[in-house]
Amino acid sequence: MSYHWLKYQHLNSPVKEIIHKDTSDEKLVEMILNGNTLAFRSLVERHSLYVAGIAARFLLKHEDSRDVVQDTFVRVWKNLVHYDNRVLFTTWLY
């Protein structure tokens, strides 16, 4: 699997807000839940290295850590409705 679907999916969805680099994770989650797939892309870009770093500590192969990053964000996409914004997104992600 690859992230190319994230790159092009936004073409079919309405973008309601411009995403600034200082937009909080909680605001990005709110935007995603309101249908803004570009906000999800921003969240992925922002936290991919964090997830890759954690995966690399446990895995021996670099390719495996890339798979973990991708699988993690697929799970984030599917479970984002369960995110409780009273905790940091990174805590929930971990």
Side-chain angles (χ1 to χ4, degrees):
M1 289 189 2
S2 68
Y3 289 115
H4 73 279
W5 63 273
L6 293 175
K7 188 174 184 180
Y8 300 107
Q9 186 178 9
H10 74 276
L11 297 174
N12 295 325
S13 65
V15 176
K16 300 175 182 120
E17 301 176 51
I18 295 173
I19 301 167
H20 298 283
K21 67 178 181 177
D22 58 346
T23 302
S24 72
D25 292 338
E26 293 74 23
K27 180 64 177 170
L28 288 174
V29 170
E30 179 184 324
M31 293 166 70
I32 295 163
L33 293 175
N34 287 320
N36 189 331
T37 55
L38 284 177
F40 184 69
R41 180 177 180 184
S42 294
L43 204 63
V44 170
E45 290 172 353
R46 182 179 292 179
H47 295 289
S48 289
L49 288 177
Y50 171 75
V51 174
I54 292 170
R57 290 184 204 132
F58 294 99
L59 302 170
L60 300 175
K61 293 182 181 178
H62 181 67
E63 298 82 27
D64 291 342
S65 64
R66 286 190 306 220
D67 290 341
V68 168
V69 171
Q70 186 161 355
D71 291 345
T72 298
F73 284 103
V74 168
R75 292 181 73 186
V76 165
W77 178 261
K78 290 179 179 180
N79 292 290
L80 206 52
V81 295
H82 302 294
Y83 170 68
D84 180 356
N85 64 4
R86 294 178 290 180
V87 298
L88 291 174
F89 178 78
T90 51
T91 302
W92 182 81
L93 176 63
Y94 182 80

